[in-house]
Amino acid sequence: METHDLDATGLLCPLPVLKLRKRLAALKPGAQITMRADDPAAIIDVPHFCAESGHLLVETREEGAVQVYLVRKAG
């Protein structure tokens, strides 16, 4: 399965989700992105974005002060 990386650390709301949306738009359905973010709002924003847009939030985990999100593109 095709998996891409997106480093959104250091970016504040709404930039992590905006970058995630832009990257997903360029991918084929079923492709995945692993996004790293340290914005506290991402904990709320990423699941909400996925629910609203139909993408699947496969996994959420923390690595120290960074949250890691695995998102699969809908389609």
Side-chain angles (χ1 to χ4, degrees):
M1 181 174 295
E2 187 179 357
T3 302
H4 302 266
D5 292 314
L6 173 59
D7 184 3
T9 56
L11 301 176
L12 297 177
C13 180
L15 290 176
V17 168
L18 292 177
K19 288 192 173 284
L20 178 60
R21 180 173 59 190
K22 184 176 181 178
R23 288 286 302 274
L24 282 167
L27 299 179
K28 296 176 184 174
Q32 296 187 145
I33 291 183
T34 301
M35 183 179 84
R36 299 170 51 82
D38 56 2
D39 176 20
I43 296 168
I44 297 167
D45 292 346
V46 173
H48 180 74
F49 164 73
C50 290
E52 290 294 312
S53 60
H55 302 302
L56 177 63
L57 181 57
V58 177
E59 179 184 7
T60 302
R61 67 180 186 276
E62 291 190 15
E63 293 178 358
V66 175
Q67 301 93 44
V68 180
Y69 304 93
L70 179 60
V71 178
R72 182 174 303 138
K73 182 173 179 172

